[in-house]
Amino acid sequence: MVGLRERKKQRTRRALIEAALRLFDEKGFEETTLAEIAAEAEVSTRTFFSYFASKEDVLFYDGESRMALAMELIASRMPGEHLADLLLRLVRASVDWTSGDPSFSVEEVPLRMRLVMTVPSLQARALHLLFDSQLRLARALEDAFPDELDHVDAAAAVGALIGATKLAVISSINRGGSLEQAQEAAMRAAQLTLRGLSSIG
């Protein structure tokens, strides 16, 4: 059960996220200052740094928690579970996490995506996080399939799956699709990709 202090921290964190995204949308990412975000959320700049290290971190607020869940799922591979089955379970779980995360807002998805696609510093940060997450997931797959996958197999599987699902989601949202349609696109892309991975693992 979440205590009063933890609920207060969650509310403050969420207030900072909402304030930052609102200001990024109204003023632009580069033009928005940390002090303005803190003031909008009615906290001090010092409090901001208790939750985030930078403006960029606010935009990618859910990355590390989602990565931890993904690593945990891969580590929980069931006996005899095939690589394609495990990765499909991972994609389904990712969709469920998005739907069940109280800090996740459907309305924020297009804004966050537009910012990442148009602001050079955010593009660079997103690319760095993407490569880092793929390397971590590939190492986790190697550990989960110690006698079946080498580093090339694991890298190919992760790269193919993440590339396909992310591009499908971006394409869906760019066409005006809803979050549900983007999730359906991700699942379809995953299934198409995993057919090609059926010979591995």
Side-chain angles (χ1 to χ4, degrees), residues 62-124:
D62 54 348
E64 193 54 40
S65 61
R66 292 171 67 85
M67 174 56 64
L69 289 167
M71 299 287 277
E72 184 179 335
L73 186 146
I74 291 173
S76 71
R77 178 200 176 194
M78 296 178 285
E81 188 173 20
H82 190 276
L83 172 64
D85 295 328
L86 176 62
L87 291 178
L88 187 58
R89 188 158 62 91
L90 178 62
V91 175
R92 285 187 176 132
S94 180
V95 169
D96 291 341
W97 296 333
T98 298
S99 303
D101 184 353
S103 71
F104 186 85
S105 171
V106 175
E107 291 76 18
E108 292 170 2
V109 174
L111 171 60
R112 290 172 70 186
M113 193 166 292
R114 175 168 59 78
L115 288 168
V116 169
M117 297 293 287
T118 58
V119 179
S121 63
L122 294 176
Q123 288 179 328

Coordinates of all heavy atoms in Angstrom, one line a residue, residues 62-124:
D62 N 9.4 8.2 -18.1 CA 9.0 6.8 -17.9 C 9.9 5.8 -18.4 O 9.7 4.6 -18.3 CB 7.6 6.6 -18.5 CG 7.5 6.9 -20.0 OD1 8.5 7.6 -20.5 OD2 6.5 6.6 -20.6
G63 N 11.0 6.2 -19.0 CA 12.0 5.3 -19.7 C 12.6 4.3 -18.7 O 12.6 3.1 -19.0
E64 N 13.1 4.7 -17.6 CA 13.8 3.8 -16.7 C 12.9 2.8 -16.1 O 13.2 1.6 -15.9 CB 14.6 4.6 -15.7 CG 15.6 3.7 -14.9 CD 16.6 2.9 -15.8 OE1 17.1 3.5 -16.8 OE2 16.9 1.8 -15.5
S65 N 11.7 3.2 -15.7 CA 10.8 2.3 -15.0 C 10.3 1.3 -16.0 O 10.2 0.1 -15.7 CB 9.6 3.1 -14.5 OG 8.9 3.8 -15.5
R66 N 10.1 1.6 -17.3 CA 9.7 0.7 -18.3 C 10.8 -0.3 -18.6 O 10.6 -1.5 -18.8 CB 9.2 1.4 -19.6 CG 7.9 2.2 -19.4 CD 7.6 3.0 -20.6 NE 7.3 2.3 -21.7 CZ 6.1 1.8 -22.0 NH1 5.1 2.0 -21.2 NH2 5.8 1.1 -23.1
M67 N 12.1 0.2 -18.6 CA 13.2 -0.7 -18.8 C 13.3 -1.7 -17.7 O 13.6 -2.9 -18.0 CB 14.5 0.2 -18.9 CG 15.8 -0.6 -19.1 SD 15.8 -1.8 -20.4 CE 15.7 -0.7 -21.8
A68 N 13.2 -1.3 -16.5 CA 13.3 -2.2 -15.3 C 12.2 -3.3 -15.5 O 12.5 -4.5 -15.2 CB 13.1 -1.4 -14.0
L69 N 11.0 -3.0 -15.9 CA 10.0 -4.0 -16.1 C 10.3 -4.9 -17.2 O 10.1 -6.1 -17.1 CB 8.6 -3.3 -16.3 CG 8.0 -2.5 -15.2 CD1 6.9 -1.6 -15.6 CD2 7.5 -3.5 -14.1
A70 N 10.9 -4.4 -18.3 CA 11.3 -5.2 -19.4 C 12.4 -6.2 -19.0 O 12.3 -7.4 -19.4 CB 11.7 -4.4 -20.6
M71 N 13.4 -5.7 -18.3 CA 14.5 -6.6 -17.8 C 14.0 -7.7 -16.9 O 14.4 -8.8 -17.0 CB 15.5 -5.7 -17.1 CG 16.1 -4.7 -18.0 SD 17.3 -5.3 -19.2 CE 18.8 -5.5 -18.2
E72 N 13.0 -7.3 -16.0 CA 12.5 -8.3 -15.1 C 11.7 -9.4 -15.9 O 11.8 -10.6 -15.5 CB 11.5 -7.6 -14.1 CG 10.9 -8.5 -13.0 CD 10.1 -7.7 -12.1 OE1 10.3 -6.5 -11.9 OE2 9.2 -8.3 -11.5
L73 N 10.9 -9.0 -16.9 CA 10.2 -9.9 -17.7 C 11.1 -10.9 -18.4 O 10.8 -12.1 -18.4 CB 9.2 -9.2 -18.6 CG 8.3 -10.1 -19.4 CD1 7.0 -9.4 -19.7 CD2 8.9 -10.5 -20.8
I74 N 12.1 -10.4 -19.0 CA 13.1 -11.2 -19.7 C 13.7 -12.2 -18.8 O 13.9 -13.4 -19.1 CB 14.1 -10.4 -20.5 CG1 13.5 -9.6 -21.7 CG2 15.2 -11.3 -21.0 CD1 14.4 -8.6 -22.4
A75 N 14.1 -11.7 -17.6 CA 14.8 -12.6 -16.6 C 13.8 -13.7 -16.1 O 14.3 -14.7 -15.6 CB 15.3 -11.8 -15.5
S76 N 12.5 -13.5 -16.3 CA 11.5 -14.5 -15.8 C 11.2 -15.5 -16.9 O 10.1 -16.1 -16.8 CB 10.3 -13.8 -15.3 OG 9.5 -13.2 -16.4
R77 N 12.0 -15.6 -17.9 CA 11.7 -16.6 -19.0 C 11.3 -17.9 -18.4 O 11.9 -18.5 -17.5 CB 13.0 -16.7 -19.9 CG 12.8 -17.8 -21.0 CD 14.1 -18.3 -21.5 NE 13.9 -19.3 -22.5 CZ 14.8 -20.1 -23.0 NH1 16.1 -20.1 -22.5 NH2 14.5 -21.1 -23.9
M78 N 10.2 -18.4 -19.0 CA 9.7 -19.7 -18.5 C 10.5 -20.9 -19.1 O 11.0 -20.7 -20.2 CB 8.2 -19.9 -18.9 CG 7.3 -18.8 -18.2 SD 5.6 -19.0 -18.6 CE 5.6 -18.2 -20.3
P79 N 10.6 -22.0 -18.5 CA 11.4 -23.1 -19.0 C 10.9 -23.5 -20.4 O 9.7 -23.7 -20.6 CB 11.1 -24.3 -18.0 CG 10.8 -23.6 -16.7 CD 10.0 -22.3 -17.1
G80 N 11.8 -23.6 -21.3 CA 11.5 -24.0 -22.7 C 10.8 -22.9 -23.5 O 10.4 -23.2 -24.7
E81 N 10.6 -21.7 -23.0 CA 10.0 -20.7 -23.7 C 10.8 -20.2 -24.9 O 12.0 -19.9 -24.7 CB 9.7 -19.5 -22.8 CG 8.8 -18.4 -23.5 CD 8.4 -17.3 -22.5 OE1 9.0 -17.2 -21.5 OE2 7.4 -16.6 -22.8
H82 N 10.3 -20.2 -26.1 CA 11.0 -19.8 -27.3 C 11.2 -18.3 -27.3 O 10.5 -17.5 -26.7 CB 10.2 -20.2 -28.5 CG 10.9 -20.1 -29.8 ND1 11.0 -18.9 -30.5 CD2 11.6 -21.0 -30.6 CE1 11.7 -19.1 -31.6 NE2 12.1 -20.3 -31.7
L83 N 12.3 -17.9 -28.0 CA 12.6 -16.5 -28.1 C 11.5 -15.6 -28.6 O 11.1 -14.6 -28.0 CB 13.9 -16.3 -29.0 CG 14.2 -14.8 -29.4 CD1 14.6 -14.1 -28.1 CD2 15.3 -14.8 -30.4
A84 N 10.9 -16.1 -29.7 CA 9.7 -15.3 -30.3 C 8.6 -15.2 -29.3 O 7.9 -14.1 -29.2 CB 9.3 -15.9 -31.6
D85 N 8.3 -16.2 -28.6 CA 7.2 -16.2 -27.6 C 7.5 -15.2 -26.5 O 6.6 -14.5 -26.0 CB 6.9 -17.6 -27.0 CG 6.4 -18.5 -28.1 OD1 5.8 -18.1 -29.0 OD2 6.8 -19.7 -28.0
L86 N 8.8 -15.2 -26.0 CA 9.2 -14.3 -24.9 C 9.1 -12.9 -25.4 O 8.6 -12.0 -24.7 CB 10.6 -14.6 -24.5 CG 11.2 -13.7 -23.4 CD1 10.4 -13.7 -22.1 CD2 12.6 -14.0 -23.1
L87 N 9.5 -12.6 -26.6 CA 9.5 -11.2 -27.1 C 8.1 -10.7 -27.4 O 7.8 -9.6 -27.1 CB 10.4 -11.1 -28.3 CG 11.9 -11.3 -28.1 CD1 12.6 -11.2 -29.5 CD2 12.4 -10.2 -27.2
L88 N 7.2 -11.6 -27.8 CA 5.8 -11.2 -28.0 C 5.2 -10.9 -26.7 O 4.4 -10.0 -26.5 CB 5.0 -12.4 -28.7 CG 3.6 -12.0 -29.1 CD1 3.6 -10.8 -30.0 CD2 2.9 -13.2 -29.8
R89 N 5.5 -11.7 -25.6 CA 5.0 -11.5 -24.3 C 5.5 -10.1 -23.8 O 4.8 -9.4 -23.1 CB 5.5 -12.6 -23.4 CG 4.9 -12.6 -22.0 CD 5.0 -14.0 -21.3 NE 6.3 -14.5 -21.1 CZ 7.0 -14.3 -20.0 NH1 6.5 -13.6 -19.0 NH2 8.2 -14.8 -19.9
L90 N 6.7 -9.8 -24.2 CA 7.3 -8.5 -23.8 C 6.5 -7.3 -24.4 O 6.2 -6.3 -23.7 CB 8.8 -8.4 -24.2 CG 9.5 -7.1 -23.9 CD1 9.6 -6.8 -22.4 CD2 10.9 -7.2 -24.5
V91 N 6.2 -7.5 -25.7 CA 5.5 -6.4 -26.4 C 4.1 -6.2 -25.8 O 3.6 -5.1 -25.5 CB 5.4 -6.7 -27.9 CG1 4.5 -5.6 -28.6 CG2 6.8 -6.7 -28.5
R92 N 3.4 -7.4 -25.5 CA 2.1 -7.3 -24.9 C 2.1 -6.7 -23.6 O 1.3 -5.9 -23.2 CB 1.5 -8.7 -24.8 CG 1.0 -9.3 -26.2 CD 0.3 -10.6 -26.0 NE -0.2 -11.1 -27.2 CZ 0.0 -12.3 -27.7 NH1 0.7 -13.2 -27.0 NH2 -0.5 -12.7 -28.9
A93 N 3.1 -7.0 -22.8 CA 3.3 -6.4 -21.5 C 3.5 -4.9 -21.5 O 3.0 -4.2 -20.7 CB 4.4 -7.1 -20.7
S94 N 4.3 -4.5 -22.5 CA 4.6 -3.1 -22.7 C 3.3 -2.3 -23.0 O 3.1 -1.2 -22.5 CB 5.6 -2.9 -23.9 OG 5.9 -1.5 -24.1
V95 N 2.4 -2.9 -23.8 CA 1.1 -2.3 -24.1 C 0.3 -2.2 -22.8 O -0.3 -1.2 -22.5 CB 0.4 -3.1 -25.1 CG1 -1.1 -2.6 -25.2 CG2 1.1 -2.9 -26.5
D96 N 0.3 -3.3 -22.0 CA -0.4 -3.3 -20.7 C 0.1 -2.3 -19.7 O -0.6 -1.6 -19.0 CB -0.4 -4.7 -20.1 CG -1.2 -5.7 -20.9 OD1 -2.0 -5.3 -21.7 OD2 -0.9 -6.9 -20.7
W97 N 1.5 -2.1 -19.7 CA 2.1 -1.2 -18.8 C 1.6 0.2 -19.1 O 1.3 1.0 -18.2 CB 3.6 -1.3 -18.8 CG 4.2 -2.6 -18.4 CD1 3.6 -3.5 -17.5 CD2 5.4 -3.2 -18.8 NE1 4.4 -4.6 -17.3 CE2 5.5 -4.4 -18.1 CE3 6.4 -2.8 -19.7 CZ2 6.6 -5.3 -18.3 CZ3 7.5 -3.6 -19.9 CH2 7.6 -4.8 -19.2
T98 N 1.6 0.5 -20.4 CA 1.2 1.9 -20.8 C -0.3 2.1 -20.4 O -0.6 3.2 -19.8 CB 1.3 2.0 -22.3 OG1 2.6 1.9 -22.7 CG2 0.8 3.4 -22.8
S99 N -1.1 1.1 -20.6 CA -2.5 1.3 -20.2 C -2.8 1.4 -18.7 O -3.7 2.0 -18.3 CB -3.4 0.1 -20.8 OG -3.2 0.0 -22.2
G100 N -1.9 0.7 -18.0 CA -2.1 0.6 -16.5 C -1.3 1.6 -15.7 O -1.4 1.6 -14.5
D101 N -0.5 2.4 -16.4 CA 0.4 3.4 -15.6 C -0.3 4.6 -15.3 O -0.7 5.4 -16.2 CB 1.6 3.7 -16.5 CG 2.6 4.6 -15.8 OD1 2.3 5.0 -14.7 OD2 3.7 4.8 -16.3
P102 N -0.6 4.9 -14.0 CA -1.4 6.1 -13.7 C -0.7 7.4 -14.0 O -1.3 8.5 -14.2 CB -1.6 6.0 -12.2 CG -0.4 5.1 -11.7 CD -0.2 4.2 -12.8
S103 N 0.7 7.4 -14.2 CA 1.4 8.6 -14.5 C 1.5 8.8 -16.0 O 2.0 9.9 -16.5 CB 2.8 8.5 -14.0 OG 3.6 7.6 -14.7
F104 N 0.9 7.9 -16.8 CA 1.0 8.0 -18.3 C -0.2 8.6 -18.8 O -1.4 8.2 -18.5 CB 1.2 6.6 -18.9 CG 1.4 6.6 -20.4 CD1 2.7 6.8 -20.9 CD2 0.4 6.5 -21.3 CE1 2.9 6.9 -22.3 CE2 0.6 6.5 -22.6 CZ 1.9 6.7 -23.1
S105 N -0.1 9.6 -19.6 CA -1.2 10.4 -20.2 C -1.2 10.2 -21.7 O -0.3 10.5 -22.4 CB -1.1 11.9 -19.9 OG -2.1 12.6 -20.6
V106 N -2.4 9.7 -22.2 CA -2.5 9.5 -23.6 C -2.3 10.8 -24.4 O -1.7 10.8 -25.5 CB -3.9 8.9 -23.9 CG1 -4.2 8.8 -25.4 CG2 -4.1 7.5 -23.3
E107 N -2.9 11.9 -23.9 CA -2.8 13.2 -24.6 C -1.4 13.7 -24.8 O -1.1 14.5 -25.6 CB -3.6 14.2 -23.8 CG -5.1 14.0 -23.8 CD -5.5 12.9 -22.8 OE1 -4.7 12.5 -21.9 OE2 -6.7 12.3 -23.0
E108 N -0.5 13.2 -23.9 CA 0.9 13.7 -24.0 C 1.7 13.0 -25.1 O 2.7 13.5 -25.5 CB 1.6 13.4 -22.7 CG 1.1 14.2 -21.5 CD 1.7 13.8 -20.2 OE1 2.5 12.9 -20.2 OE2 1.3 14.4 -19.2
V109 N 1.3 11.9 -25.6 CA 2.0 11.1 -26.6 C 2.4 11.9 -27.9 O 3.6 12.0 -28.2 CB 1.3 9.8 -27.0 CG1 2.1 9.1 -28.1 CG2 1.2 8.9 -25.8
P110 N 1.4 12.6 -28.5 CA 1.8 13.3 -29.7 C 2.7 14.5 -29.5 O 3.7 14.7 -30.2 CB 0.4 13.8 -30.3 CG -0.6 12.9 -29.7 CD 0.0 12.5 -28.3
L111 N 2.5 15.2 -28.3 CA 3.4 16.3 -28.0 C 4.8 15.8 -27.7 O 5.8 16.4 -28.3 CB 2.9 17.0 -26.7 CG 3.8 18.1 -26.1 CD1 4.1 19.2 -27.2 CD2 3.2 18.6 -24.9
R112 N 5.0 14.8 -26.9 CA 6.3 14.2 -26.6 C 7.0 13.8 -27.9 O 8.2 14.0 -28.1 CB 6.2 13.0 -25.7 CG 5.8 13.5 -24.2 CD 5.5 12.3 -23.4 NE 6.7 11.5 -23.0 CZ 6.7 10.4 -22.4 NH1 5.6 9.8 -22.0 NH2 7.9 9.8 -22.1
M113 N 6.2 13.1 -28.8 CA 6.8 12.6 -30.0 C 7.2 13.8 -30.9 O 8.3 13.8 -31.6 CB 5.8 11.7 -30.8 CG 6.4 11.0 -31.9 SD 5.3 9.7 -32.4 CE 5.3 8.6 -31.0
R114 N 6.4 14.8 -31.0 CA 6.7 16.0 -31.8 C 8.0 16.7 -31.3 O 8.8 17.1 -32.1 CB 5.5 17.0 -31.9 CG 5.8 18.3 -32.6 CD 4.5 19.1 -32.8 NE 3.8 19.4 -31.6 CZ 4.2 20.4 -30.8 NH1 5.3 21.2 -31.1 NH2 3.5 20.7 -29.7
L115 N 8.1 16.8 -30.0 CA 9.3 17.5 -29.4 C 10.5 16.7 -29.8 O 11.6 17.2 -30.2 CB 9.1 17.6 -27.9 CG 8.1 18.7 -27.5 CD1 7.8 18.5 -26.0 CD2 8.6 20.1 -27.8
V116 N 10.4 15.3 -29.6 CA 11.6 14.5 -29.9 C 12.0 14.6 -31.3 O 13.2 14.5 -31.7 CB 11.3 13.0 -29.4 CG1 12.4 12.1 -29.9 CG2 11.2 13.0 -27.9
M117 N 11.0 14.7 -32.2 CA 11.3 14.7 -33.6 C 11.8 16.0 -34.2 O 12.4 16.1 -35.2 CB 10.0 14.3 -34.4 CG 9.5 12.9 -34.1 SD 10.6 11.6 -34.7 CE 10.4 11.7 -36.5
T118 N 11.6 17.1 -33.4 CA 11.9 18.4 -33.9 C 13.0 19.2 -33.1 O 13.6 20.1 -33.7 CB 10.7 19.3 -33.9 OG1 10.1 19.4 -32.6 CG2 9.6 18.7 -34.9
V119 N 13.3 18.8 -31.9 CA 14.3 19.5 -31.1 C 15.6 18.7 -31.2 O 15.7 17.5 -30.7 CB 13.9 19.6 -29.6 CG1 14.9 20.3 -28.8 CG2 12.5 20.4 -29.6
P120 N 16.7 19.3 -31.7 CA 18.0 18.5 -31.9 C 18.5 17.9 -30.6 O 18.9 16.7 -30.6 CB 18.9 19.6 -32.4 CG 18.0 20.5 -33.2 CD 16.8 20.6 -32.3
S121 N 18.5 18.6 -29.5 CA 19.0 18.0 -28.3 C 18.2 16.8 -27.8 O 18.7 15.9 -27.2 CB 19.1 19.1 -27.2 OG 17.8 19.6 -26.8
L122 N 16.9 16.9 -28.0 CA 16.0 15.8 -27.7 C 16.2 14.6 -28.6 O 16.1 13.4 -28.2 CB 14.6 16.2 -27.6 CG 14.2 17.2 -26.5 CD1 12.8 17.6 -26.7 CD2 14.5 16.7 -25.2
Q123 N 16.5 14.9 -29.9 CA 16.7 13.8 -30.8 C 18.0 13.0 -30.4 O 18.0 11.8 -30.4 CB 17.0 14.4 -32.2 CG 15.7 14.9 -32.9 CD 16.0 15.4 -34.3 OE1 17.0 16.0 -34.5 NE2 15.0 15.3 -35.2
A124 N 19.0 13.8 -30.0 CA 20.3 13.2 -29.6 C 20.1 12.4 -28.3 O 20.6 11.2 -28.2 CB 21.3 14.3 -29.4

